[in-house]
Amino acid sequence: MKKLILAVGFAMALFGAGAKEVTVSVGAGEMWAGKRAPQFAVWLEGTDGSFKRTLFVTERAGKQNWIFSPKAGRPESLPVWYHASKLLGAKNANSDTKKSAGAHPLDVVTSATPKGGIIFKADIGDAPCRIRAEFNASFDYNDAYPKKTSGVNGQPSLVYGADIPADFSEGEIVLSLLGTGSVDGSDGAVHADTAKLSSALRIVKAVAVAAK
């Protein structure tokens, strides 16, 4: 946790102390501590859906340090974030590919999956924006997503989001469930149908942004 606090503090200094600061809270649900700790990413988009920057990503997903993964990695783990940030396959956190994508050097915003959720501060700028968060737990199978057809993934990633207005200076905004990522990681779309999900819906209790 000390490492995470130092990293977030460095990120705030790097991107300017004059920007609007908010507190992002991720509450762990009852399935957070499943067979594998969940991988997740939190990022900002413009109001037009353009990717701005990553606020937080778990280390294994950010550095794509998978165990026994195929050559292509695990695009199905966080497909919406991977496609939005254009970081899929770029394993060097400070590579030119990542810098050209407009993202943080990921070393600044990565950490091992927290055991009981996470609370961190982030500068989001003064313009209206969108915040997105994507979560996925491996081997999270159910009848609709069995091992035979879902590989390591099981149920697909869940994507949460909310719009943050320019005048947001006090109160709390709770992110809503928007849908799921691609089961096989082949696209970065958010798929609205969540009817076949079960345990995946209980990975996260709530995701919120607060200002005061």
Side-chain angles (χ1 to χ4, degrees), residues 31-180:
M31 297 304 296
W32 183 276
K35 292 182 179 180
R36 293 288 188 278
Q39 301 301 316
F40 67 95
V42 183
W43 70 97
L44 288 181
E45 295 179 352
T47 54
D48 61 354
S50 59
F51 178 81
K52 296 299 184 183
R53 60 187 176 93
T54 302
L55 301 179
F56 179 87
V57 61
T58 45
E59 188 170 19
R60 190 173 296 281
K63 296 185 177 181
Q64 300 183 60
N65 184 24
W66 306 109
I67 300 173
F68 303 120
S69 69
K71 187 176 181 179
R74 290 281 316 285
E76 74 280 6
S77 58
L78 299 175
V80 179
W81 175 72
Y82 277 134
H83 282 267
S85 63
K86 298 180 174 64
L87 298 184
L88 187 62
K91 294 188 177 183
N92 178 357
N94 295 301
S95 69
D96 291 339
T97 301
K98 290 186 175 184
K99 290 179 181 178
S100 68
H104 277 318
L106 289 187
D107 283 340
V108 175
V109 293
T110 58
S111 173
T113 303
K115 292 184 178 180
I118 186 173
I119 298 174
F120 64 93
K121 293 185 182 298
D123 288 335
I124 63 170
D126 296 321
C129 61
R130 298 173 180 174
I131 186 167
R132 298 288 185 260
E134 185 174 21
F135 300 83
N136 198 356
S138 300
F139 310 108
D140 190 14
Y141 305 113
N142 65 11
D143 290 342
Y145 299 98
K147 184 176 182 179
K148 183 177 180 180
T149 57
S150 302
V152 174
N153 215 35
Q155 295 172 73
S157 65
L158 276 72
V159 183
Y160 297 79
D163 293 342
I164 303 179
D167 60 355
F168 179 57
S169 60
E170 187 175 4
E172 181 179 75
I173 297 174
V174 178
L175 279 64
S176 301
L177 177 61
L178 303 178
T180 74

